[in-house]
Amino acid sequence: DTGVSQNPRHKITKRGQNVTFRCDPISEHNRLYWYRQTLGQGPEFLTYFQNEAQLEKSRLLSDRFSAERPKGSFSTLEIQRTEQGDSAMYLCASRGDRYTDTQYFGPGTRLTVL
Amino acid sequence: AQTVTQSQPEMSVQEAETVTLSCTYDTSESDYYLFWYKQPPSRQMILVIRQEAYKQQNATENRFSVNFQKAAKSFSLKISDSQLGDAAMYFCAQGTSYDKVIFGPGTSLSVIP
């Protein structure tokens, strides 16, 4: 399978716990994006990487959120001290070089905070 | 700021008929791209069709075509010969060569057998 993969697919946690999600992009893609999608809404941009550099962060990304992409390969998104409002689908997408405009999405990680 | 608006939260179409989903956007960029993505229930988001803003010719992909009106900042999706498998959320989106894609709120399409 050469598509974007995300793990875990589902995560249930208690409020106040930390969670970490992983995204593995398409192997030759150097750009990686994180989005959050709540029920019935379109995805909202959170952050993106070009190789290992984090180039932009949304104001939606509070200081409880941190994302990394060591060595420009897979990426992790960590949420500390989760709140019920963090419950959402977290989507990862990847894209090739700047002349390739299409983002390819993974299946997402559905987070439920109790 | 970039914005994408989809004014139809829900649409329905009879199987084999044609349906058009509306989308308007706003951007100050001169070089940008427009997309329609499909997200079936509990399934992965996939690209349906894309359009480069500098191209006047409307994009087509089999039963899917767009009506791109650059001056009006309108980008509608037409689905011909609708099939049951077309039932999904459809998201209009706009992006540039350099960064993120901005999505609209989506239109839920039902296909009636």
Side-chain angles (χ1 to χ4, degrees):
Chain A
D1 185 7
T2 58
V4 179
S5 62
Q6 292 186 246
N7 288 288
R9 296 290 306 276
H10 303 273
K11 179 69 176 179
I12 300 174
T13 191
K14 293 182 179 180
R15 189 175 54 187
Q17 297 295 304
N18 299 343
V19 295
T20 300
F21 311 140
R22 174 175 171 135
C23 171
D24 287 89
I26 293 170
S27 60
E28 65 269 23
H29 284 184
N30 61 357
R31 290 172 182 253
L32 186 149
Y33 303 78
W34 285 100
Y35 293 85
R36 182 172 69 187
Q37 186 180 23
T38 52
L39 197 63
Q41 299 297 316
E44 297 174 294
F45 169 78
L46 292 178
T47 189
Y48 91 100
F49 293 83
Q50 182 175 334
N51 299 312
E52 66 276 9
Q54 189 173 15
L55 296 187
E56 186 175 349
K57 293 194 292 185
S58 164
R59 279 171 285 184
L60 293 174
L61 216 64
S62 76
D63 56 6
R64 296 185 298 106
F65 288 70
S66 63
E68 294 182 342
R69 192 182 182 198
K71 302 178 183 178
S73 56
F74 70 91
S75 176
T76 58
L77 177 68
E78 180 183 15
I79 309 174
Q80 296 182 328
R81 305 181 303 280
T82 52
E83 302 173 355
Q84 287 185 326
D86 297 331
S87 296
M89 176 76 84
Y90 290 85
L91 297 170
C92 176
S94 72
R95 193 180 105 183
D97 64 27
R98 61 179 286 174
Y99 303 107
T100 305
D101 54 272
T102 301
Q103 295 185 17
Y104 296 89
F105 283 81
T109 295
R110 181 167 296 284
L111 173 65
T112 302
V113 182
L114 302 176
Chain B
Q2 298 169 257
T3 59
V4 178
T5 302
Q6 294 177 252
S7 59
Q8 306 152 315
E10 297 178 352
M11 292 282 285
S12 61
V13 62
Q14 290 283 144
E15 194 175 4
E17 296 296 310
T18 295
V19 64
T20 299
L21 308 184
S22 301
C23 172
T24 58
Y25 62 94
D26 191 16
T27 182
S28 57
E29 302 286 342
S30 58
D31 182 19
Y32 57 90
Y33 300 83
L34 296 163
F35 309 89
W36 279 98
Y37 281 90
K38 170 185 177 182
Q39 189 176 41
S42 301
R43 293 184 63 187
Q44 198 157 335
M45 188 169 308
I46 58 174
L47 179 69
V48 174
I49 198 166
R50 59 183 282 277
Q51 172 87 37
E52 295 99 329
Y54 64 86
K55 289 188 176 179
Q56 293 186 336
Q57 185 173 5
N58 289 324
T60 61
E61 286 288 342
N62 301 314
R63 298 183 295 107
F64 299 88
S65 62
V66 298
N67 183 4
F68 175 44
Q69 301 290 327
K70 190 172 184 178
K73 295 184 177 176
S74 169
F75 184 62
S76 60
L77 175 70
K78 185 171 80 173
I79 306 174
S80 304
D81 185 26
S82 297
Q83 300 174 0
L84 295 178
D86 295 333
M89 282 291 287
Y90 285 82
F91 293 100
C92 178
Q94 186 250 319
T96 68
S97 296
Y98 305 102
D99 60 10
K100 60 187 177 288
V101 171
I102 302 298
F103 287 83
T107 296
S108 177
L109 178 67
S110 302
V111 180
I112 303 166

